[in-house]
Amino acid sequence: MIFKIGKNELRNLFYSPVAWFLAIAFTIQSAVFYTKALYGSAKWQDLLFRNNPKFRDFGPTSLTSHVFLNPDGIFANALQNLYLFVPLLSMGLISREINNGTIKLLYSSPVKVRQIVLGKYLSVMIYNLLLMMIMGIFMVTGAFNIRSVDYGLLLAASLGFYLLICAYSAIGLFMSSLTIYQIVSAIGSFVIIFILSRIGGLWQKIDFVRDLTWFLSMSGRTNKMLRGLVTTNDIIYFLVIIYMFLAFTLLRLKGARESRPWYLKTGRYLAVIVSALLVGYVCSRPVFTLYWDMTAGHDNTIHPRTQQIVKELGNEPLEVTLYTNILGTGVIKGLPESRNQYLSEVWDPYLRFKPDIQFHYAYYYDYDSSIDDGALRRMLPNKTTRQMAEQMADGYDEKLSLFQSPETMRKKVTLLPENLRLVMQLKYKGRTTFLRTFDDNVFWPLEQQTAAAFKRLLQARLPKILFITGDLERNIYKKGEREYNFHSVAIENRFSLINLGFDADTISLDNRNIPSGITALVLADPKTALSSAAQVKIEQYLDNGGNMLILGEPGKQYVLNPLLHRLGIQLMDGTLIEPSKDEMPHMIRPYVTSVGSDLAEEKAFLDMKKSGDSLKILMPGTAGIAYDTHGPYNINPLLMTVGQQTWLKAGRLVTDSAPPVFSPQEGDIRGSFPTAVALTRQVNHRQQRIVICSDADFMSNLRSGGGFFSRALYSWMDEGKFPIYTPKPDARDNKLSITCAGVETLKVASIWILPGLMLLLGSILLIRRKRK
C-alpha cells in the first residue's frame, strides 16, 4: 500500500509543471557551476602546456575537490540553494489533499495514516533520487574530464547531499500537514530550516542545553561528507531529523481525527522529541561514532605516525584542560559558547582513534604588564586587574563568578611563561605538556604540534637543545633582529622548537658542565674568543660523540677556527660575493644539495625532489668553508653556491658603496663554495652528527629563524624523532583530460541541450495528460 501511494503521488508530481520546472532549474544550475569551475582549470592547463614544457599537472591540487566542492563548485552551490527547491516541491503533498477534500477519501479507505505519510514521503525520496541522477550526470562527466577522479570523495558528497534533501523533504511534509495553503506551507518550511540552521548558536553558555542545540543544528552537517569523511554521527543526525518530522506529521494527521485532551497530544510530540534527542545524543558520543574516510589519499585521517603515537597512549586516560584568561589573547575561542566548535575543530581527528580523551575547562583572569603591549591598559586605564576583568566579562556577556582569581589559579598551575594566553595542558600518567594556540590565520595547533605534544607525554627523556652563552652569542630569549628567539622558544611561532617537541635552554660553559643526554649543543656566532675552559668542555663533548650546531660569520672566522680545526674544518677568510640586480652583493643564495634535501621530510625538500628544480636559501653575509676529506669525519656539503656566479672576496668588504669587482690580484677566488656542511662518524655505537654553517644571520629573528632549513637541521640531529612530520600524498586527480574548447562544447550541451530535452519531454507529457 505504501508503494502504491508513493507511485500515485510520484505520478501526480510529474503531471504538474512544478516538478519539471525544479528539475530543469536544478540541471541548469548544476551545469553552470560545473562548466564554470572546469573552464578556468582547462584554460590555465592549456596555457601552461603551450608555454611550459616542464608542466605536467597541477601538483598537489585536487581537481575533483576544486571542480565539485570549492565555493563556486557544483555541490557547494547545490547545497546552498537546496532550501529553495524542496519547500516548493513538498508544499502540496498533504495540503493539496486537504484543500481538495481527497484526504477524507483516504481516511475512509482501508489505508492507515502511517501508510499515507510513508507513501507520500517515499515519492519525494524517489524524486530526490532524480535530482541525484542529475548530479550523477556531471559526476560521470567529471570522471571522463578529470584524470584519476576521486570517486570516494564524490560518493561521500553525494550521500551528504541526498541525506540533506531528504531531511528538508521531511520538514516540508510536516509543514504541508499543518495548513491548507501551499504558500504558507512553503514559508513554514523556510522558517523551520532557518531555525535548525541557526539553533547551534543558541544557549551555548548552558552546559546541558549546549550539547542538545549543537546536535540539532543543521548548519555544517554535510561539511565532513563534502570533504569525503562519512561518520555515523552525521548519518544518524539526518535519520533522527527525518524520523522526528515524519512522526510529527503522523501525529498531526491522527490528532485531526481524534478527540483527545491537548496534554495527551502534546505529550506525544514531547515523547518524539525526547526519543530523538536521546538517540542523537547517545550516538553522537565519540565512543559510539564510526568513521569512513572515502578520499583516495585519506585526507581526513591523521598521519600513520600520529596514529601510532595515539595508539601507544593505550587505554590510560589523557586529560586536556583548556585555560582561558578573559584578559588574555584568544579568549573568544575559549569561552563556553565556543566549546563545541573547539572540540570539533581541534580534537575530532584524534577522538576517532582515542575516544576516551577527557576534557576540562578552567576560566580565570590575570594580567602582567611585562607581557602586554599596552593595548589593554590604554583601553581600560587606571583599573585594577579585577576591575579590568569585570569590564571584559561585561563586554563578553559573561559572569565574573565564572572566572577564578589570579591567586587561586597560580596555586594550581603556572601560566605566566605561557603569556597568560589561551592554552591547553595535556596530562598523562603524571606528565604534563602544553599545547599552544598561535597568532596566525589557523590559530589552533596543527597535527604536527599536537603529535609532538602527545609524543612528549610518552617519553621519559625529552629532546633538549642547549644554546651556549657567555661570549655574546645569539640569544634565544631576546627578540632583536640578530637574536634566535623566533625559531627556538617563541611560544607564538607554531614552528619554534618548543612547539615541535623540543626543550630549549641556554648554558654558560664558564659556570656549568655540559649535561649528558642532550640532543644537541648550539654555538651561534660568538663575538669574543672562547675561554679555555669553555673550549675544553666543547672538545670533550665532541670527543664523546655529542651532536652540535656551529654557526659563524665572516670577519669573525678567527673566533671559531681554533675549535673547528680539530674537526677538519676551517671558515675561509673573506666574504662570499654574488652580484644580483635585486640584492646587495653579500646576499648569497646557495642551493640545497641532495644530501641537504635528505635531512628531513620538509615539504620544501619533497617538492624540490618532485619538481627537479633547485631550492635556494638566502644567507646575508657568509664565508666559504674549507674541509679535509681525510679526517675522522665524513663531510658532506648541505648548501653550495653556484660556481660561475660567486667568488670569495679577500679583505674587507664595503657593502654600501660601489659594487665589488672580482680581482685575482687581491686574492679573490671564483668558484663554488659550501656554506653549510654536515659531519658524521660512529662513536659509542651511534652516529655523531655535527653541522657547520658559515652564516648565522639566516637563522635570526629577522629571517624568520631559518624556516624549513633550520627545522631540518634540528630534526637531523635528533635522528628524525622530532619534529613529527605528517606529509600528505599529492592528489592524483591533478590533471584534466579535456581542453578549453571541449569545455565550451560541454557547456552548450549541458546548459542548453540537456535542459531543452527535459523541457520537451515534460511539455509532451503534460500536453498529453491535459488532452486525456
Side-chain angles (χ1 to χ4, degrees):
M1 184 57 65
I2 292 173
F3 281 104
K4 287 182 179 180
I5 295 173
K7 181 180 178 181
N8 183 67
E9 188 64 37
L10 192 65
R11 185 185 299 114
N12 289 335
L13 278 175
F14 282 100
Y15 284 156
S16 71
V18 174
W20 288 100
F21 170 77
L22 292 179
I24 293 171
F26 186 77
T27 303
I28 295 174
Q29 172 190 279
S30 302
V32 167
F33 288 109
Y34 175 76
T35 54
K36 179 182 177 182
L38 193 66
Y39 181 80
S41 299
K43 196 171 186 66
W44 276 107
Q45 179 173 286
D46 290 353
L47 185 147
L48 292 170
F49 269 131
R50 287 197 308 267
N51 298 282
N52 187 356
K54 291 185 177 181
F55 177 78
R56 296 187 295 271
D57 50 49
F58 284 99
T61 302
S62 168
L63 290 176
T64 306
S65 179
H66 174 74
V67 171
F68 286 92
L69 303 175
N70 75 345
D72 288 330
I74 180 173
F75 271 107
N77 283 278
L79 292 174
Q80 182 179 351
N81 300 320
L82 198 57
Y83 74 98
L84 298 173
F85 289 86
V86 177
L88 297 177
L89 179 69
S90 58
M91 63 184 180
L93 287 175
I94 295 178
S95 60
R96 183 179 61 248
E97 305 280 1
I98 299 174
N99 199 31
N100 294 337
T102 52
I103 190 70
K104 296 178 181 179
L105 295 176
L106 286 173
Y107 285 158
S108 61
S109 63
V111 179
K112 297 179 180 179
V113 175
R114 180 183 71 253
Q115 295 171 331
I116 297 173
V117 173
L118 294 180
K120 286 183 173 291
Y121 186 69
L122 177 63
S123 67
V124 182
M125 290 181 65
I126 296 174
Y127 184 85
N128 293 343
L129 283 176
L130 172 65
L131 298 183
M132 275 301 308
M133 290 173 62
I134 294 173
M135 295 285 282
I137 293 173
F138 295 99
M139 287 190 287
V140 172
T141 305
F144 288 99
N145 296 155
I146 302 172
R147 182 189 67 178
S148 302
V149 70
D150 194 339
Y151 295 103
L153 181 62
L154 293 179
L155 291 174
S158 301
L159 177 62
F161 172 82
Y162 187 69
L163 288 174
L164 182 62
I165 196 172
C166 286
Y168 284 174
S169 300
I171 295 171
L173 181 64
F174 171 61
M175 297 308 298
S176 178
S177 69
L178 295 179
T179 176
I180 63 174
Y181 302 105
Q182 296 187 20
I183 189 63
V184 175
S185 171
I187 294 174
S189 299
F190 290 142
V191 171
I192 295 296
I193 292 172
F194 175 80
I195 292 174
L196 287 177
S197 299
R198 296 292 183 268
I199 197 173
L202 300 178
W203 307 300
Q204 289 297 292
K205 296 180 182 181
I206 306 172
D207 287 343
F208 177 70
V209 179
R210 179 191 304 115
D211 289 337
L212 294 180
T213 56
W214 181 266
F215 170 76
L216 282 175
S217 175
M218 195 172 283
S219 177
R221 275 292 173 178
T222 57
N223 287 352
K224 288 191 180 79
M225 283 183 269
L226 290 179
R227 297 198 307 265
L229 180 64
V230 177
T231 68
T232 54
N233 184 6
D234 291 331
I235 293 176
I236 289 173
Y237 167 80
F238 287 111
L239 296 179
V240 165
I241 292 295
I242 292 169
Y243 151 76
M244 190 163 65
F245 282 96
L246 289 184
F248 287 168
T249 308
L250 182 63
L251 293 177
R252 164 62 181 167
L253 295 180
K254 278 189 174 182
R257 303 175 62 192
E258 296 175 341
S259 178
R260 290 181 179 271
W262 66 268
Y263 53 85
L264 289 179
K265 294 181 179 180
T266 304
R268 291 176 176 178
Y269 284 99
L270 290 177
V272 170
I273 294 174
V274 170
S275 63
L277 291 177
L278 182 62
V279 171
Y281 182 79
V282 171
C283 294
S284 65
R285 299 301 88 191
V287 69
F288 298 117
T289 303
L290 301 178
Y291 300 81
W292 186 14
D293 189 351
M294 298 180 66
T295 57
H298 298 287
D299 301 328
N300 304 292
T301 305
I302 57 177
H303 194 275
R305 289 174 184 155
T306 309
Q307 293 181 40
Q308 181 60 34
I309 294 171
V310 174
K311 183 179 180 180
E312 291 175 10
L313 293 172
N315 296 322
E316 296 291 331
L318 170 64
E319 298 179 25
V320 179
T321 303
L322 179 68
Y323 290 99
T324 304
N325 177 17
I326 198 169
L327 301 178
T329 304
V331 56
I332 193 66
K333 293 181 179 291
L335 293 176
E337 57 263 37
S338 302
R339 188 176 297 178
N340 281 311
Q341 188 173 1
Y342 151 72
L343 293 174
S344 175
E345 291 183 13
V346 182
W347 294 108
D348 267 5
Y350 310 99
L351 287 170
R352 174 180 174 183
F353 296 94
K354 188 172 176 57
D356 58 348
I357 299 177
Q358 301 173 12
F359 296 99
H360 307 286
Y361 305 90
Y363 304 97
Y364 71 102
Y365 64 91
D366 201 353
Y367 176 81
D368 192 289
S369 58
S370 64
I371 59 174
D372 181 33
D373 61 1
L376 190 60
R377 278 295 184 193
R378 289 192 296 271
M379 184 175 69
L380 301 171
N382 305 318
K383 301 285 186 183
T384 64
T385 300
R386 180 177 177 83
Q387 289 171 339
M388 288 193 294
E390 289 174 345
Q391 296 298 317
M392 296 301 290
D394 183 56
Y396 288 116
D397 196 23
E398 299 285 352
K399 295 181 180 178
L400 186 61
S401 58
L402 177 67
F403 299 89
Q404 301 178 58
S405 67
E407 296 76 21
T408 302
M409 184 55 65
R410 289 170 189 169
K411 293 177 182 178
K412 299 177 180 179
V413 62
T414 302
L415 295 173
L416 185 59
E418 299 299 319
N419 289 350
L420 302 177
R421 59 185 291 129
L422 188 71
V423 69
M424 291 160 280
Q425 186 184 55
L426 278 58
K427 185 176 182 181
Y428 175 79
K429 289 186 176 180
R431 298 174 187 153
T432 61
T433 191
F434 284 108
L435 183 59
R436 300 174 179 89
T437 57
F438 308 98
D439 297 330
D440 53 26
N441 293 332
V442 179
F443 185 79
W444 295 112
L446 298 174
E447 183 178 345
Q448 189 174 42
Q449 290 82 44
T450 307
F454 286 163
K455 192 170 182 179
R456 284 175 61 87
L457 296 173
L458 292 168
Q459 293 196 337
R461 175 176 290 181
L462 300 175
K464 190 167 190 176
I465 309 294
L466 288 182
F467 292 78
I468 298 175
T469 61
D471 294 291
L472 303 178
E473 294 90 349
R474 308 293 174 107
N475 194 301
I476 65 173
Y477 296 113
K478 293 182 178 180
K479 297 185 178 182
E481 291 184 357
R482 72 180 296 272
E483 310 302 345
Y484 273 19
N485 172 266
F486 188 75
H487 86 269
S488 56
V489 296
I491 62 174
E492 69 274 8
N493 174 23
R494 68 172 63 249
F495 297 112
S496 65
L497 290 175
I498 61 171
N499 289 318
L500 295 176
F502 293 91
D503 285 337
D505 203 351
T506 58
I507 182 172
S508 173
L509 298 185
D510 292 330
N511 305 318
R512 293 174 53 195
N513 293 324
I514 302 173
S516 60
I518 65 172
T519 300
L521 189 66
V522 179
L523 179 60
D525 184 27
K527 288 187 175 181
T528 60
L530 300 174
S531 66
S532 57
Q535 184 154 334
V536 168
K537 290 177 181 178
I538 293 174
E539 290 173 354
Q540 291 176 348
Y541 172 78
L542 293 175
D543 291 341
N544 293 330
N547 298 337
M548 192 166 183
L549 172 60
I550 303 175
L551 304 103
E553 279 285 312
K556 289 178 280 187
Q557 292 93 329
Y558 66 92
V559 177
L560 290 177
N561 276 341
L563 175 65
L564 299 179
H565 178 73
R566 292 170 53 89
L567 306 176
I569 300 287
Q570 288 288 279
L571 300 183
M572 303 173 69
D573 291 333
T575 305
L576 290 177
I577 300 298
E578 185 178 82
S580 166
K581 66 183 181 67
D582 298 315
E583 299 286 359
M584 299 179 71
H586 68 294
M587 297 285 191
I588 308 301
R589 297 183 66 88
Y591 65 88
V592 179
T593 66
S594 59
V595 176
S597 66
D598 290 331
L599 290 175
E601 290 185 72
E602 284 288 337
K603 185 178 185 302
F605 294 157
L606 299 176
D607 293 342
M608 166 188 161
K609 294 176 181 179
K610 292 170 187 173
S611 65
D613 295 333
S614 60
L615 180 63
K616 294 186 176 182
I617 309 292
L618 179 63
M619 304 186 92
T622 182
I625 298 178
Y627 57 88
D628 181 7
T629 57
H630 302 292
Y633 293 92
N634 296 320
I635 303 177
N636 292 290
L638 303 177
L639 298 174
M640 291 287 295
T641 63
V642 180
Q644 298 303 314
Q645 299 178 10
T646 57
W647 73 82
L648 184 65
K649 180 68 177 178
R652 182 172 177 269
L653 174 67
V654 179
T655 59
D656 59 350
S657 183
V661 179
F662 176 70
S663 176
Q665 295 80 9
E666 297 180 4
D668 294 356
I669 304 173
R670 188 182 297 277
S672 180
F673 301 91
T675 59
V677 294
L679 290 69
T680 58
R681 67 171 179 172
Q682 292 297 127
V683 180
N684 299 327
H685 307 290
R686 60 176 291 273
Q687 188 182 66
Q688 182 183 20
R689 300 181 176 189
I690 304 171
V691 175
I692 313 295
C693 296
S694 55
D695 174 48
D697 287 333
F698 86 99
M699 288 177 62
S700 67
N701 296 335
L702 182 63
R703 303 291 170 184
S704 299
F708 63 87
F709 192 74
S710 66
R711 291 195 299 271
L713 295 179
Y714 291 116
S715 174
W716 182 67
M717 286 187 287
D718 194 34
E719 299 179 357
K721 297 174 185 175
F722 288 93
I724 311 296
Y725 288 103
T726 58
K728 294 288 186 180
D730 281 351
R732 292 181 293 176
D733 53 333
N734 54 6
K735 185 178 180 180
L736 295 176
S737 53
I738 187 173
T739 63
C740 191
V743 178
E744 292 283 7
T745 303
L746 180 62
K747 184 184 297 186
V748 173
S750 58
I751 296 179
W752 298 102
I753 297 177
L754 180 58
L757 292 175
M758 293 175 64
L759 179 61
L760 179 63
L761 177 62
S763 300
I764 292 173
L765 187 64
L766 292 175
I767 292 171
R768 291 188 61 185
R769 172 67 174 174
K770 187 175 181 181
R771 286 178 179 177
K772 290 183 179 180

